[in-house]
Amino acid sequence: MLRTILLFLIVGIATADAVTLCDFTKERVPIPCWQGDRLEQSATYSDNGLRVCWNTHKSKVCIFGEPFKREIPLPEFGNAFCTFELENETPSIVNELCVRFIDSRKEVFQWRVAVDLRKKGRHKVIIPMTQKNFQVSFKGNNDKKIDFPMYLYSCLGVAPKDCGEASILVRKISYEANPVNSALDSVKFELETGTVPRVLKPGEEKNLKFLLHASNTSPLTCRAKFEFRDFFDNVLTEEAVLTLPANETLRYTPKTRLPSLGHWTVHLRLEAQDGSAFAEHKRSFAYMPPAGPGKLHKEGFIFGVCIPGWYDRKIFPKEAETAALCGASALRLNFRWRELEKTPGVWKTENLDFLLSEYESRGIELMPILSNPPVWARKKKDVLTSLPDHEEWRKYVRYFLRNYSDRIRYWEIWNEPDLFSFCDFNAPEYVELQRIAREEQKIYAPAAKMLTGGFAHAIPQYSHKKGFQEYVLANGKPYFDVHAFHGHGEFTLFRRQEEEHLRPMRRRTGVRSPWYANETAISSYGIGEKRQAETLFKKLLYAWSTGSIGYNWYNLRNNGYAADAEHHYGLVTNDFYPKPVYVVYNTLATVFREMEFIRKHSRQDEIWILEFAGKGNRAVAIWNASPEKVADQLVSFHSDASRVEAIDLMGNYRPLALHDSILIHKISAMPEILLFHNCSPLNDAITMAEAQIENPAVPGFPADLELMLFNPFSEKLPVQLSLNCGKGVLAKLPDRIVLPPGEHRGITVKVSVTGEKSRQDNSLNLQIKTPHHSSQLQVPMKQALLIPAKRQADNWDFLLSYRKQVVPLFDADPGNLYRLWSGPEDLSAKIRMGTSCGIWTIQFLVTDDKHVQPYRGQDVWKGDNIQFAFHIPGQNSLWTAGLTLAAGGKPEIYLWDLPADFTNEKVLKSWKLDICRSGNQTKYEVKIPFSSIGVDSVRLKQGIRFNALINDNDGYGREGWIQIAEGIASNRSADLYPLIVFEE
C-alpha cells in the first residue's frame, strides 16, 4: 500500500495535482505512534478516519507514522503544501500540527502551523512548505539545507501540557508540489479597499479589489480559486478563469457578497490550465465600520497603541491612518534623545513635528517617553542606556515641556527601567531623574501628567532588578501622577501580576495615583491570531475594571516577518494587512469609548461579567477565562431595556429575546458583549445553570457531577436535560424536571470512567433546554494521573521538554536573549514515582548542559536545583522541598514548607536522597516514608496533589525554570497541581 501511495506521489509532483498520501476513510494500514505504549499514545481507525489520541500528562506531542518507509524520493520543489483533512466530533485542545520529511543525508526537516480546532466539524489544515521556511531541522549532517531527494518521515500533533487527553481525527493527508521556476511563481497578489489597512467599510463593498501582477513577457491564463474565510471559519468560494497581462496588474472585482462583518482571509489558488503548476497566496481585509478617527484629547478611557520606532517618514501617514480607523486615541512612542540632539544644542525635530501633525489631524494624541541620552550626555559613554548627566537631562526635559506642553498631556520617564537592557542604573538614580523632570514640568507644563516608566513585570521572581519598582513607588510618589505598567503575555499572567503583586505593592507603598497599562499585548507567534485577538478583549477590559486609565496595545504593526515572537505583536502585518486583533480593537473602541466601568458582577474567579454604562445604555462583557477548569454557565439578567443585542468579537450584532424582562445567556470561552439599550442599572446577574465535577474520575473511582439549577421566572419552568459523555464515560441525568418560580435545585450524578485512555477530550457536553432558551454547556472533567503498581523501566509519569513548560526570566529583556531556553538539551526532565512497603519513591532524570550550584540552604533555588511540592488531603499546608547536588558533590534536601504537625528535623532524618551526575544528565532519587508525611491508605485513595519544577543556572544567575504546573515559584497553591492516584 505504501509503495502505491508514494508512486502516486511522484506523478503528483510532475503534474502539480494534489495527491492523496493517506486516505484513512478507506485505508487500514497500521500507523505507529513513536513510543506509543510508554507515552500512552495510539492511532486507531474509526469509520471516519484515523483517531490519534495521546495523554498530555505524559507528553504534549504525539508523533505518528514515524518512521514512514523511505522508498520513493520526492524531487526538488519550488514550493509545496501538505494538507490535513480533519474532523472534530467534539472541541479539540490540539493547537499545532507538524509534518516532517527526511533528506538524502538523513537530516529531518519540520514544517508547522498553528491550528484552532475548538469548533466542531471538518477542518482543512494547510502547511505551506518552501526550502527555507521549515521550523527546525535535526539529525544527519544538520546543515539546514535540503539535500534532495526528500522523503516523508512523520506527522506531529501538539496540545497544551497536562490538559487531559488530546485527540484528532485525521481523514486524509495530501501533498502538492510545484515545479521549480514555475511561471505562476512570479505572480504577486495584493488586495485593496481604499484604505491603508485594508478596511472595507459597509456600503463601499465595490472598493474591494484583488490585484494580480505577473512578471512575464507574455500574457498568462490560469484558473483562479478564491476562498473567503472569516474569524469563525465560515467559508465562501469563488472561481474564475483569468488572463494576466504581461508585466502589468490585473484588477479583479470579486462577485462574492459577504454575509457578516469581521476579519476575512482570502486564500487564492492559481492553477495552470494544463494542471502542471500552481501557486497559493493569502491576504486579509477588515470588513467593519471604522471606530475612528476620533476627537483629539477625548476624555475617558484611553484606547492607545505603541510603535517601537519612527524612522521612515513615508510610513507616518500610513501608520496614523491605520491607528485612527480602528479607534485609537493615543500613540505611545519614544522621543529618543540620542536621535534628536546628536550635537549639544542642535535639535532635529522636523520628522517629529511631521509625525505629530499626522496623528493629531486624525484625533490621536502622542504620549512620549523621555530617555536614551546621546553619547556626550552619558555617564557611561559606551552604554546606550546609561544614566544621563543631570544638568543635560534637565535641559532635554525642559526643551520638550516648554515647546510641546500645549500639545502633549502625558510624559513618561524612561521605558521599562526595571530591566537592565533598557536602564543601566539603580532605583535611587532613576527617582532623581523623576524629581528633575517634575521640577521642569511644574514650571513649563503645569497641566501635564508625569508617568513612571512603564515597568515590565510585577512578579518578584521575574524581576531582574530586585525591588526596583517598589522603591520607585515608595520614594518617587511626589514626582509622578500615573503609575505605568506593562505585563505582556496571556490574560491569566496579566491578571495574576495585577492582583497578587501590583495591587499589594501599591497598598504597601501608599500609592493612590491611577495606573495605566500603557504597553501590553501578546504575540500571535506560537498561539495563533485568534487567541491573540481574544487576549486583547480580556486584558483591555480587565485592566479598565481594575482602575487603569487606558490600555496601549503593543504593537501597531508587526516589526517584520521573521519566525520569532517579537515580529508578530502587531494589530496589522508589517505591510498593513489587518489581523483579527485589529477588528477586535475596533469593536471595543466602537462599543465602549463613550462608556465608563460600573462593576464586576460575577463572584467566581473565572467567570467574568463586567458592566459598563454610557448614553443610557449598558454594555456587559462576558467570558469564561478557564474553560479547562470551569464549566460554562447560564446566567440571567433582569432588565428594563427596550431591546438587547449580543455583539461578537468581530462587531456583528444579533437581537436577543427577553421573557418576563429577563435575559438568559450562556457564558463560554468565546468572549462576547451584551448591549442593553435604554436601560436602568442592572441587577446582579444570577446563575441559572452551572455544573462542576469536584473530584477527578479514574477507573474504579467515580466522579460527582453536581448540577445547580435556578428558575428566575414568575412561572414554573420545565427543563429538559441531556448529557453527551463521549466514549468510555458513563453518566445519567434525569431527562426532564420542572422548577417552581424562584426555586434553586441541585442534582448529583455519578460519572464513571471505564478506562485510563477512554476520553477523547477533557469535557462533557450538557444540553439544557427550556421554553425560553437552549444551550449546550461544556463541563470539564478533572483528570487524575494513575500511578501504576508495576511499570516498565522506561515509563515516565511527567515529561518536561517543551517550550510551553518553560518559565523564562528574560522573555521581555532583549539584552538577555542569549540566556533563553534553547531546547531539551539546554534543560529538560523526566519524572516518575511509585510506592513499595510504605515508601514513596520519586525519580528525576534531568538533562542540563551546565550544572551550577553555588548556594546552600534556603537559597538553593537560585542555582540548578529541583523544587517539588505536594498537598495531602486534610493537612493544613503544602509540603515544599528542594533537592540539590551541592558544589562539593554532596546531596542536600531542604524543606521550605510543611504542615504544623510535623518538625523539619524529624522529617529530614527519615527522607533519603541519592544524586548522580554523568555527562549532561543528573539522576535524583528521593525516598519518602508515608509515615513521615502522615499518609495512610484512605488518603492514598483520595489522591495527592503533586508538582515540580527544575531551576536553571548556567553561571550568570538564575535564568528560569521548567515546570509541571504553576504554584511553586510564586504564590504557592496546590489548586493547579495534577492529582496523582496510586494503584493498589
Side-chain angles (χ1 to χ4, degrees):
M1 174 62 75
L2 182 61
R3 180 182 299 275
T4 302
I5 291 171
L6 292 177
L7 284 172
F8 280 143
L9 182 61
I10 291 296
V11 175
I13 292 173
T15 64
D17 291 333
V19 174
T20 299
L21 299 180
C22 305
D23 186 346
F24 297 123
T25 65
K26 300 176 181 178
E27 301 161 7
R28 290 297 184 264
V29 179
I31 301 296
C33 290
W34 182 76
Q35 297 193 6
D37 291 340
R38 184 177 72 84
L39 299 179
E40 298 185 10
Q41 301 180 350
S42 63
T44 56
Y45 286 94
S46 67
D47 293 340
N48 295 333
L50 182 73
R51 168 74 60 187
V52 183
C53 301
W54 64 101
N55 183 350
T56 62
H57 297 300
K58 298 286 186 180
S59 172
K60 77 175 210 174
V61 175
C62 177
I63 304 174
F64 59 98
E66 181 170 318
F68 284 113
K69 293 181 181 180
R70 299 191 291 274
E71 294 183 349
I72 306 298
L74 309 182
E76 185 175 3
F77 60 84
N79 56 69
F81 297 89
C82 190
T83 301
F84 289 75
E85 294 183 29
L86 309 175
E87 183 172 354
N88 278 24
E89 299 164 350
T90 58
S92 175
I93 60 174
V94 175
N95 57 19
E96 186 175 314
L97 286 175
C98 308
V99 65
R100 290 174 173 175
F101 291 84
I102 188 168
D103 73 3
S104 62
R105 302 190 67 179
K106 299 183 179 180
E107 184 174 0
V108 178
F109 295 83
Q110 177 172 304
W111 287 264
R112 67 170 288 278
V113 67
V115 297
D116 187 341
L117 304 178
R118 292 174 292 177
K119 184 178 179 181
K120 293 188 293 184
R122 294 190 178 182
H123 300 263
K124 181 180 287 187
V125 177
I126 300 173
I127 303 180
M129 299 166 54
T130 71
Q131 295 186 34
K132 294 183 179 180
N133 75 336
F134 54 87
Q135 176 195 10
V136 68
S137 71
F138 53 94
K139 290 188 177 181
N141 63 346
N142 202 21
D143 64 355
K144 310 302 177 186
K145 178 183 177 182
I146 303 175
D147 296 299
F148 290 97
M150 176 176 88
Y151 306 80
L152 178 65
Y153 191 69
S154 62
C155 304
L156 289 78
V158 185
K161 186 71 169 68
D162 291 324
C163 287
E165 185 160 275
S167 173
I168 52 174
L169 194 151
V170 187
R171 293 175 56 82
K172 293 182 181 180
I173 302 175
S174 57
Y175 177 87
E176 204 170 9
N178 219 11
V180 179
N181 299 323
S182 160
L184 290 176
D185 287 342
S186 70
V187 178
K188 306 299 181 185
F189 174 48
E190 302 291 344
L191 179 156
E192 68 178 20
T193 64
T195 64
V196 169
R198 279 79 179 187
V199 170
L200 180 64
K201 302 174 185 179
E204 299 181 4
E205 288 80 2
K206 64 181 183 302
N207 289 341
L208 178 61
K209 305 290 183 185
F210 297 158
L211 281 59
L212 293 93
H213 183 90
S215 302
N216 297 320
T217 57
S218 59
L220 178 63
T221 300
C222 55
R223 294 192 301 269
K225 299 179 180 179
F226 300 95
E227 178 187 275
F228 298 77
R229 184 178 294 269
D230 74 1
F231 180 80
F232 302 104
D233 289 324
N234 298 305
V235 176
L236 305 170
T237 60
E238 178 177 332
E239 296 188 16
V241 175
L242 303 177
T243 298
L244 309 183
N247 206 27
E248 292 183 19
T249 299
L250 173 70
R251 298 170 62 85
Y252 176 80
T253 302
K255 301 176 178 60
T256 300
R257 294 295 172 256
L258 305 175
S260 60
L261 301 174
H263 180 270
W264 287 87
T265 302
V266 180
H267 296 264
L268 169 62
R269 179 183 177 88
L270 298 175
E271 297 177 351
Q273 286 188 304
D274 60 0
S276 62
F278 71 94
E280 295 204 3
H281 303 272
K282 185 173 71 172
R283 292 299 187 185
S284 66
F285 64 94
Y287 185 34
M288 67 187 200
K295 177 183 176 183
L296 188 63
H297 289 183
K298 181 181 72 67
E299 297 303 319
F301 190 80
I302 300 165
F303 286 85
V305 292
C306 305
I307 57 174
W310 42 285
Y311 309 109
D312 186 353
R313 187 183 177 104
K314 298 188 297 295
I315 296 296
F316 296 173
K318 294 182 179 181
E319 288 189 333
E321 180 181 329
T322 300
L325 286 175
C326 70
S329 60
L331 175 74
R332 177 179 181 264
L333 74 170
N334 203 324
F335 282 14
R336 289 187 178 88
W337 184 4
R338 65 172 181 256
E339 296 165 6
L340 298 170
E341 193 189 12
K342 295 180 180 179
T343 303
V346 180
W347 292 96
K348 297 291 186 181
T349 62
E350 296 84 359
N351 281 349
L352 172 60
D353 294 333
F354 177 58
L355 181 146
L356 186 58
S357 65
E358 286 294 321
Y359 281 89
E360 283 183 339
S361 68
R362 294 171 173 85
I364 300 175
E365 63 177 314
L366 263 59
M367 295 184 171
I369 306 164
L370 301 177
S371 67
N372 299 105
V375 62
W376 53 267
R378 297 175 197 155
K379 295 284 188 179
K380 298 178 181 178
K381 302 301 182 185
D382 58 342
V383 178
L384 286 173
T385 58
S386 166
L387 178 72
D389 176 85
H390 285 173
E391 192 52 39
E392 296 300 334
W393 167 259
R394 183 182 296 276
K395 293 177 184 177
Y396 162 63
V397 172
R398 179 186 301 161
Y399 177 87
F400 282 105
L401 291 172
R402 183 174 58 194
N403 290 287
Y404 294 87
S405 62
D406 59 332
R407 303 170 73 178
I408 294 175
R409 294 191 297 167
Y410 294 94
W411 300 86
E412 183 177 351
I413 306 304
W414 228 265
N415 174 58
E416 297 187 345
D418 53 336
L419 298 183
F420 282 114
S421 56
F422 290 117
C423 177
D424 187 54
F425 45 92
N426 62 32
E429 291 171 323
Y430 172 76
V431 170
E432 179 61 16
L433 296 186
Q434 286 185 304
R435 186 193 65 79
I436 294 171
R438 173 65 100 188
E439 288 181 352
E440 297 301 310
Q441 176 254 323
K442 285 184 176 180
I443 298 171
Y444 296 103
K449 303 290 186 183
M450 304 302 290
L451 278 66
T452 67
F455 297 105
H457 293 298
I459 298 176
Q461 290 87 343
Y462 288 11
S463 177
H464 313 154
K465 300 164 80 170
K466 300 296 183 184
F468 189 103
Q469 183 173 187
E470 187 151 354
Y471 181 94
V472 172
L473 295 183
N475 296 279
K477 284 197 295 288
Y479 314 130
F480 66 83
D481 304 293
V482 179
H483 171 197
F485 176 73
H486 294 174
H488 288 288
E490 297 276 5
F491 166 70
T492 301
L493 177 61
F494 184 70
R495 176 190 171 193
R496 175 181 154 204
Q497 293 197 66
E498 197 281 332
E499 293 179 1
E500 298 179 7
H501 301 283
L502 200 68
R503 202 179 300 172
M505 187 189 307
R506 287 168 58 85
R507 284 197 297 265
R508 288 194 302 270
T509 55
V511 172
R512 303 208 188 293
S513 57
W515 74 286
Y516 186 178
N518 75 329
E519 183 207 307
T520 181
I522 191 169
S523 172
S524 59
Y525 185 78
I527 69 166
E529 293 184 354
K530 287 187 180 181
R531 285 183 170 89
Q532 181 190 43
E534 294 170 23
T535 301
L536 166 63
F537 185 99
K538 297 173 186 177
K539 289 180 72 172
L540 185 147
L541 294 178
Y542 169 80
W544 192 347
S545 75
T546 58
S548 178
I549 64 171
Y551 186 99
N552 293 355
W553 181 267
Y554 176 90
N555 190 343
L556 177 62
R557 66 187 183 113
N558 287 354
N559 287 350
Y561 304 94
D564 64 64
E566 186 61 32
H567 280 209
H568 298 272
Y569 276 93
L571 295 175
V572 300
T573 64
N574 186 262
D575 51 354
F576 294 98
Y577 283 92
K579 297 161 67 178
V581 67
Y582 184 78
V583 181
V584 172
Y585 193 106
N586 184 78
T587 300
L588 291 170
T590 300
V591 175
F592 293 101
R593 61 184 167 188
E594 301 296 335
M595 292 196 169
E596 61 179 5
F597 174 69
I598 302 301
R599 62 185 176 126
K600 179 177 185 280
H601 281 241
S602 51
R603 289 174 291 277
Q604 295 189 9
D605 282 346
E606 305 301 339
I607 299 295
W608 288 87
I609 305 175
L610 302 178
E611 181 183 346
F612 298 79
K615 293 188 174 180
N617 300 330
R618 300 274 159 166
V620 179
I622 58 173
W623 72 90
N624 179 354
S626 297
E628 74 283 357
K629 296 188 301 181
V630 177
D632 298 341
Q633 285 190 9
L634 283 184
V635 295
S636 63
F637 296 90
H638 190 279
S639 168
D640 61 355
S642 60
R643 59 191 174 96
V644 184
E645 295 174 296
I647 309 171
D648 65 26
L649 292 177
M650 297 291 101
N652 293 291
Y653 290 65
R654 74 178 190 278
L656 299 176
L658 289 169
H659 176 76
D660 198 16
S661 299
I662 292 174
L663 172 73
I664 305 298
H665 203 76
K666 182 177 80 170
I667 299 179
S668 66
M670 182 61 70
E672 203 171 16
I673 304 166
L674 305 178
L675 184 59
F676 295 80
H677 292 268
N678 307 312
C679 177
S680 301
L682 295 171
N683 295 327
D684 285 337
I686 300 176
T687 302
M688 181 182 168
E690 63 177 327
Q692 61 180 358
I693 302 177
E694 281 295 338
N695 55 310
V698 294
F701 297 91
D704 290 328
L705 169 63
E706 297 178 356
L707 174 61
M708 297 299 299
L709 298 172
F710 170 67
N711 178 6
F713 299 105
S714 58
E715 60 200 31
K716 66 180 181 180
L717 184 67
V719 181
Q720 291 180 320
L721 301 171
S722 61
L723 192 61
N724 180 8
C725 298
K727 298 178 181 178
V729 181
L730 304 175
K732 179 63 176 176
L733 275 173
D735 296 332
R736 185 177 186 272
I737 63 172
V738 178
L739 296 176
E743 178 174 296
H744 291 268
R745 185 176 301 182
I747 302 171
T748 300
V749 176
K750 292 292 184 183
V751 180
S752 299
V753 182
T754 60
E756 236 184 303
K757 297 189 295 182
S758 57
R759 290 211 47 75
Q760 297 176 4
D761 60 70
N762 200 31
S763 64
L764 309 178
N765 293 305
L766 174 63
Q767 185 74 33
I768 299 179
K769 186 175 182 180
T770 76
H772 318 301
H773 185 86
S774 179
S775 282
Q776 180 171 276
L777 307 184
Q778 182 173 295
V779 184
M781 285 189 68
K782 296 188 176 181
Q783 300 280 320
L785 179 64
L786 189 65
I787 306 298
K790 296 181 180 180
R791 70 194 321 156
Q792 297 178 354
D794 62 346
N795 191 265
W796 298 86
D797 298 315
F798 298 98
L799 298 178
L800 305 181
S801 58
Y802 305 108
R803 187 175 300 277
K804 188 176 179 66
Q805 300 165 315
V806 176
V807 180
L809 293 178
F810 304 99
D811 59 331
D813 185 358
N816 281 283
L817 294 180
Y818 68 98
R819 298 172 67 182
L820 291 176
W821 185 78
S822 59
E825 293 302 313
D826 184 3
L827 180 69
S828 58
K830 302 175 180 178
I831 306 169
R832 66 182 168 200
M833 61 188 73
T835 61
S836 179
C837 302
I839 303 293
W840 180 19
T841 301
I842 312 173
Q843 297 175 327
F844 301 83
L845 180 60
V846 176
T847 299
D848 187 0
D849 57 341
K850 296 180 182 179
H851 185 85
V852 178
Q853 181 49 277
Y855 302 97
R856 301 294 297 274
Q858 66 177 358
D859 291 330
V860 289
W861 59 271
K862 297 178 182 179
D864 285 323
N865 153 273
I866 292 173
Q867 290 176 265
F868 72 97
F870 56 91
H871 183 258
I872 298 168
Q875 295 187 353
N876 62 3
S877 170
L878 277 173
W879 294 78
T880 310
L883 308 180
T884 304
L885 178 62
K890 182 179 179 181
E892 176 184 320
I893 304 176
Y894 187 85
L895 281 173
W896 286 281
D897 305 298
L898 69 168
D901 296 338
F902 299 84
T903 62
N904 194 306
E905 182 179 358
K906 186 176 180 180
V907 169
L908 289 180
K909 281 184 178 180
S910 64
W911 291 19
K912 304 299 180 186
L913 174 63
D914 289 316
I915 305 178
C916 176
R917 181 167 175 85
S918 176
N920 66 344
Q921 290 191 327
T922 309
K923 298 179 181 178
Y924 300 74
E925 182 179 270
V926 60
K927 294 182 177 292
I928 302 172
F930 277 132
S931 59
S932 72
I933 57 175
V935 168
D936 54 25
S937 59
V938 175
R939 286 179 171 173
L940 273 181
K941 288 183 179 180
Q942 294 176 294
I944 295 174
R945 295 281 176 185
F946 177 84
N947 196 9
L949 66 81
I950 319 299
N951 288 303
D952 194 22
N953 183 325
D954 285 348
Y956 306 99
R958 190 189 193 206
E959 297 180 347
W961 57 91
I962 192 167
Q963 64 185 12
I964 296 175
E966 293 186 6
I968 295 180
S970 56
N971 286 357
R972 288 177 182 156
S973 170
D975 291 344
L976 297 178
Y977 295 6
L979 185 80
I980 57 174
V981 176
F982 296 93
E983 184 179 34
E984 294 183 1

